[in-house]
Amino acid sequence: MIEINNLVKYYGDNKAVDDITFRVEEGEILGFLGPNGAGKTTTMNILTGYISATSGVVKINGYDILEEPAEARSHIGYLPEHPPLYLDMTVLEYLRFVCNLKGVPKHDQAAHLSIIMKRVWITDVMDRLIGNLSKGYRQRVGLAQALVGRPAVLVLDEPTNGLDPRQIIDVRNLIKELGKSHTIILSSHILPEVSAVCDRAIIINRGKIVNVGPVASLSGYTETAEDIEIAVDAPARQALPKLRQIDGVKSVTQMPAKPGTTVAFFHIEAVEGRDVRRAVFYEMSRMAWPILAMRSVEPTLEDIFLRVTGGAPASPDDIAAAQSANTGNA
Amino acid sequence: MKRLEAIFQRELLSYFKSATGWVLMAIFFGLSSFYFSINLLARGFFMAGEMQFMQSLFVMFIPILTMKIFTEERRNGTEVLLYTSPASVWEIVMGKYLAACTMFLLMTSSIWLHMLIGYLMGGMIHPADWSTFIAFYLTAMAYIAIGTFFSAIAENQVVAAVVSVVVFFLFILMDTFAQMVGSFITTFLGAIDFANVIKSQGAIDAGAAVEKAISWLTPSNRVAVYTEGVFSILPFVFLLSYAFLFLFFTTRAIEKRRWTQK
């Protein structure tokens, strides 16, 4: 369905995409995962024909995006990072325009649009100016725009960006459902999102593919509770050595507490593959120190890069990117 | 063709969804009507004069008309929609260009109104008025194409407008500029000709030829004969080619931007 061969893109001297090759089969939902600046958007812009590659071949449904652009593009619905909306039009006017642009026959437009608008829950705002809509609604109008013309391939660049948690869940479910009738490429910097929606994921960093595989292999990284954070009502000085003695604990770091309280916060790193939550609970209860909160720390994208690349040292930029990705809208 | 139509429609509507279309129309109506009434009092019904006067204001109107065409799409990020749609670059450029031309047609409808008023009141419409009418629109078409081109290459609409104004202003000064270059060449040839190889008439001829060549390139000069009531096919072809050439440049500029993004 989508074939990308040896894609390279330079911005000046800077190599944004470095020899990427992959295929997406019909009906597949592929996650495109990477920190900010990894080359996700560039790759998507190239495969939708918005910008050109320095070298390499992109084929959509067998049509080369450079040789037969009109044919290839008529099979793609693209939701870019910033939805391409005319703020001075109403939602309906805008979607009609997109219909005409994509060649949906006039007599078919009303029915086609009403299905799409129901699907992305914008029927109630169809007569409002796009410029007056909230970010969440705009994102959904952008999604509607991508669905116009029943393209076989959907390319969605961070589709849940700017949505509230409820809407994020709705959009994820929608994407899953669309996956039954479309081939989808979806980019994200949020790990759980990709593992929730996609069949297969490509991890990309600094323009290079670092890992390709089914998402099941990723969920292995996300579901173990190797790192936990706890809040204990205990004197920190005494609790720290107790925690360190627990079997399976690799290291414990004390985190800053609120002044004037007796609650201490710890970050506990466990030996790989061990779950220390129960042991921590029993130890604390034996000492009669109530645990007020315990949560597992999800690995950042950076952690996964370290694992899949075999622990290559990370640059400060990468860590910053991974952290901002993790604290983003997960 | 359907896609061109869709782009055309949206573009034309956008003039009226923002203030641009209304403001342009108001200013054009105001100025032309003012000239029309003054003219009526001073020398009677004289459409050619009004059109020539309004044509001298192209330098101000057309940049406002064209500055947003591509810069606005880029600023809003909506160009992604157009360039990833099945529409070709030619369809996009032509759709937008024709919308700007139509907007110009609407904006200048006050001229038809004045013509109608004058005619109904028993005024005479001379053949020269009709040919001036054609010259007026042909020149506008060429100017709009130039403005469209600058809108495609400029970073933002202010730059697009300023560059267009400067170029249109140069067109006005082109005759003076051509004379300057011509006489410079004549003087220069005379000055370096120590051995007196070139006849003085030769130097003058060379200067005159260059002068002629430069002023030949000025769009409004080409249709000057029209204002005398002469219709000739050559200026017609010249101005349409002018417009076409700049539209072609526009498509190239857009393609280039997509190939060499920094």
Side-chain angles (χ1 to χ4, degrees):
Chain A
M1 203 69 191
I2 306 172
E3 245 187 280
I4 291 176
N5 283 320
N6 305 100
L7 204 65
V8 176
K9 175 70 181 179
Y10 278 96
Y11 287 128
D13 289 335
N14 180 22
K15 213 174 199 178
V17 174
D18 189 358
D19 199 18
I20 282 184
T21 301
F22 66 88
R23 286 174 62 96
V24 188
E25 302 303 332
E26 193 164 347
E28 194 178 17
I29 306 182
L30 177 86
F32 215 55
L33 196 60
N36 301 328
K40 292 176 303 211
T41 298
T42 305
T43 309
M44 293 192 141
N45 277 340
I46 293 170
L47 76 91
T48 52
Y50 175 45
I51 58 173
S52 67
T54 307
S55 67
V57 178
V58 174
K59 278 187 179 169
I60 311 288
N61 228 353
Y63 299 103
D64 191 305
I65 196 83
L66 286 182
E67 306 285 333
E68 297 156 286
E71 268 298 334
R73 284 179 202 155
S74 66
H75 291 99
I76 301 177
Y78 183 29
L79 171 66
E81 205 173 353
H82 307 285
L85 306 173
Y86 291 104
L87 305 183
D88 55 2
M89 296 174 108
T90 69
V91 172
L92 196 60
E93 279 174 346
Y94 171 71
L95 291 177
R96 285 231 177 90
F97 167 66
V98 179
C99 276
N100 289 330
L101 200 61
K102 294 190 177 178
V104 178
K106 277 251 156 49
H107 58 86
D108 195 18
Q109 287 184 6
H112 185 46
L113 287 183
S114 89
I115 292 172
I116 290 176
M117 287 194 293
K118 256 183 215 144
R119 254 196 155 159
V120 298
W121 319 281
I122 52 172
T123 313
D124 50 331
V125 295
M126 68 184 192
D127 291 321
R128 281 176 57 187
L129 275 185
I130 295 175
N132 294 340
L133 294 180
S134 68
K135 204 177 172 209
Y137 268 112
R138 288 187 194 187
Q139 187 72 16
R140 286 187 263 163
V141 176
L143 198 57
Q145 162 273 127
L147 294 173
V148 167
R150 304 179 186 86
V153 176
L154 288 178
V155 180
L156 310 174
D157 198 351
E158 308 203 350
T160 56
N161 202 356
L163 301 181
D164 65 40
R166 170 80 215 153
Q167 293 165 340
I168 288 178
I169 293 168
D170 287 343
V171 166
R172 283 182 192 166
N173 289 337
L174 175 68
I175 292 171
K176 267 191 209 164
E177 202 189 309
L178 290 169
K180 290 172 193 160
S181 49
H182 297 77
T183 304
I184 300 177
I185 296 188
L186 164 136
S187 84
S188 180
H189 56 227
I190 305 155
L191 204 52
E193 178 159 299
V194 169
S195 48
V197 176
C198 303
D199 306 318
R200 204 159 61 99
I202 287 179
I203 301 181
I204 171 174
N205 191 24
R206 292 192 195 171
K208 276 192 174 138
I209 291 179
V210 287
N211 191 27
V212 188
V215 278
S217 66
L218 283 181
S219 60
Y221 297 122
T222 56
E223 279 165 15
T224 53
E226 286 168 7
D227 285 15
I228 56 173
E229 274 173 20
I230 58 168
V232 198
D233 190 0
R237 279 199 188 157
Q238 293 167 36
L240 197 60
K242 285 284 177 208
L243 285 168
R244 285 190 173 136
Q245 281 164 14
I246 295 170
D247 185 33
V249 169
K250 199 168 156 191
S251 71
V252 181
T253 37
Q254 191 185 344
M255 299 193 305
K258 274 185 201 147
T261 63
T262 55
V263 181
F265 295 86
F266 299 101
H267 181 108
I268 302 171
E269 195 185 340
V271 176
E272 196 152 332
R274 292 284 295 270
D275 186 350
V276 294
R277 287 176 295 186
R278 288 169 191 81
V280 169
F281 169 78
Y282 287 124
E283 182 62 21
M284 293 296 108
S285 85
R286 195 174 63 81
M287 300 300 296
W289 291 332
I291 295 179
L292 302 179
M294 178 188 286
R295 68 179 193 94
S296 52
V297 182
E298 303 224 319
T300 61
L301 265 181
E302 177 62 18
D303 295 335
I304 290 186
F305 287 136
L306 288 180
R307 289 182 214 196
V308 295
T309 55
S315 75
D317 289 351
D318 284 348
I319 292 168
Q323 276 168 351
S324 70
N326 204 41
T327 53
N329 39 9
Chain B
M1 207 54 196
K2 278 227 176 91
R3 303 196 171 102
L4 194 153
E5 204 184 304
I7 291 164
F8 170 83
Q9 241 177 44
R10 203 217 77 76
E11 190 71 19
L12 188 58
L13 274 178
S14 79
Y15 280 114
F16 292 104
K17 296 223 163 184
S18 67
T20 319
W22 300 110
V23 168
L24 274 175
M25 232 165 148
I27 297 177
F28 196 95
F29 268 58
L31 284 176
S32 63
S33 302
F34 180 72
Y35 190 90
F36 178 69
S37 358
I38 296 290
N39 215 5
L40 219 49
L41 293 174
R43 60 174 291 186
F45 183 48
F46 181 49
M47 282 317 293
E50 181 180 330
M51 282 185 271
Q52 279 165 32
F53 171 69
M54 293 318 288
Q55 189 167 332
S56 67
L57 298 178
F58 277 5
V59 64
M60 162 182 117
F61 283 115
I62 294 191
I64 298 175
L65 188 70
T66 57
M67 65 184 181
K68 274 187 178 176
I69 292 182
F70 284 103
T71 49
E72 190 79 352
E73 299 268 356
R74 210 172 306 131
R75 194 173 68 89
N76 286 338
T78 43
E79 60 169 16
V80 188
L81 176 68
L82 297 180
Y83 299 156
T84 59
S85 80
S88 71
V89 176
W90 264 110
E91 282 173 317
I92 296 168
V93 171
M94 281 310 284
K96 284 173 166 288
Y97 173 69
L98 292 178
C101 287
T102 310
M103 178 63 223
F104 181 80
L105 209 64
L106 292 176
M107 177 176 117
T108 53
S109 55
S110 65
I111 288 181
W112 316 339
L113 211 64
H114 298 156
M115 250 184 185
L116 188 71
I117 294 170
Y119 179 73
L120 290 179
M121 286 165 55
M124 256 276 278
I125 297 174
H126 298 275
D129 290 341
W130 290 114
S131 50
T132 307
F133 196 70
I134 296 170
F136 181 78
Y137 281 106
L138 278 178
T139 313
M141 279 175 80
Y143 276 34
I144 293 171
I146 295 169
T148 307
F149 170 66
F150 287 128
S151 166
I153 58 171
E155 245 353 280
N156 59 56
Q157 46 176 303
V158 177
V159 176
V162 169
V163 176
S164 306
V165 168
V166 169
V167 168
F168 296 158
F169 201 68
L170 273 181
F171 280 156
I172 296 177
L173 299 177
M174 203 73 137
D175 283 341
T176 322
F177 177 69
Q179 273 170 17
M180 270 167 55
V181 176
S183 57
F184 170 77
I185 284 177
T186 308
T187 324
F188 184 71
L189 284 178
I192 58 161
D193 184 23
F194 301 114
N196 270 336
V197 192
I198 307 168
K199 288 182 185 140
S200 64
Q201 187 57 41
I204 293 168
D205 285 349
V210 171
E211 183 186 328
K212 217 174 158 187
I214 293 174
S215 62
W216 190 86
L217 281 171
T218 317
S220 49
N221 280 359
R222 303 306 306 149
V223 283
V225 288
Y226 280 29
T227 56
E228 288 146 25
V230 180
F231 182 82
S232 126
I233 194 75
L234 204 67
F236 193 82
V237 173
F238 177 90
L239 282 181
L240 285 187
S241 320
Y242 221 95
F244 181 79
L245 187 70
F246 274 93
L247 292 178
F248 174 72
F249 287 158
T250 308
T251 62
R252 293 296 90 195
I254 290 169
E255 292 282 10
K256 181 181 174 289
R257 207 173 255 282
R258 291 163 66 192
W259 280 86
T260 55
Q261 280 192 341
K262 282 270 160 72

